[in-house]
């Protein structure tokens, strides 16, 4: 059905560590179509993804965008454990190699969704695991209190 316009603003404050990690990945990419540095003062919220990381769901493949580089690393390591990515080479650090990390910004994703410029119907935004844990504990506390 048709949904009414909800309106309002969603304001996210970027995590400083995530901005630093995003800038490292951007500098490694040296792509002309993406910014080469994010500015924390401008509130640019980095979103991490990789063409090498996708989830298989009953509806088909889903492409995750992570708010945390560490969560992208964990997803890649899970793929390695199941044979969906090359095994860890000798001397290689766990996590996704920096050359496979792509960075977008939250406002860039939203504007692309609104314009329809890129098909993001199979994309999913993955909340940080620490945030999910906090929400689960709040829900458990609320359930215990009622």
């Amino acid at each position: 059905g048709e949904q009414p316009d909800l309106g309002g603003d969603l304001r996210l404050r970027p995590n400083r560590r995530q901005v630093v990690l995003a800038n490292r990945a951007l500098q490694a990419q040296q792509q002309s179509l993406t910014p080469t540095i994010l500015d924390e003062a401008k509130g640019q919220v980095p979103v991490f993804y990789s063409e090498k990381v996708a989830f298989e769901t009953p509806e088909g493949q889903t492409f995750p965008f992570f708010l945390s580089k560490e969560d992208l690393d964990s997803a890649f390591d899970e793929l390695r454990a199941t044979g969906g990515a090359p095994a860890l080479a000798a001397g290689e650090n766990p996590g996704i190699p920096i050359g496979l990390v792509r960075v977008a910004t939250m406002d860039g994703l939203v504007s692309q969704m609104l314009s329809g410029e890129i098909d993001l119907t199979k994309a999913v935004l993955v909340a940080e695991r620490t945030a999910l844990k906090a929400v689960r504990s709040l829900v458990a506390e609320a359930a215990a209190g009622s």
Side-chain angles (χ1 to χ4, degrees):
E2 198 171 311
Q3 295 183 353
D5 289 338
L6 298 177
D9 292 330
L10 172 64
R11 297 183 190 271
L12 298 175
R13 182 173 181 206
N15 179 301
R16 181 169 180 71
R17 174 172 169 67
Q18 300 309 317
V19 171
V20 169
L21 292 170
N23 285 334
R24 284 184 191 158
L26 286 168
Q27 289 168 357
Q29 297 301 310
Q30 304 256 327
Q31 295 175 350
S32 60
L33 297 177
T34 58
T36 55
I37 194 162
L38 296 182
D39 187 348
E40 181 183 1
K42 291 182 181 176
Q44 294 175 313
V45 178
V47 181
F48 301 89
Y49 67 100
S50 175
E51 291 86 1
K52 303 292 182 186
V53 178
F55 298 130
E56 194 63 43
T57 65
E59 296 81 30
Q61 280 193 321
T62 299
F63 301 96
F65 290 83
F66 297 88
L67 291 173
S68 162
K69 163 82 168 50
E70 293 85 359
D71 290 342
L72 173 58
D73 288 339
S74 294
F76 189 76
D77 288 340
E78 289 173 24
L79 280 174
R80 278 186 169 150
T82 61
L88 196 62
E92 187 179 13
N93 293 327
I96 190 165
I98 197 74
L100 299 177
V101 176
R102 303 290 181 258
V103 178
T105 59
M106 182 67 77
D107 58 340
L109 273 180
V110 170
S111 67
Q112 288 177 347
M113 286 177 183
L114 290 172
S115 73
E117 182 179 323
I118 295 176
D119 182 10
L120 294 170
T121 56
K122 295 186 180 210
V124 63
L125 188 62
V126 180
E128 288 187 57
R129 289 182 184 195
T130 55
L132 292 173
K133 287 178 185 175
V135 168
R136 285 185 185 128
S137 74
L138 288 173
V139 169
E141 287 175 17
S146 51

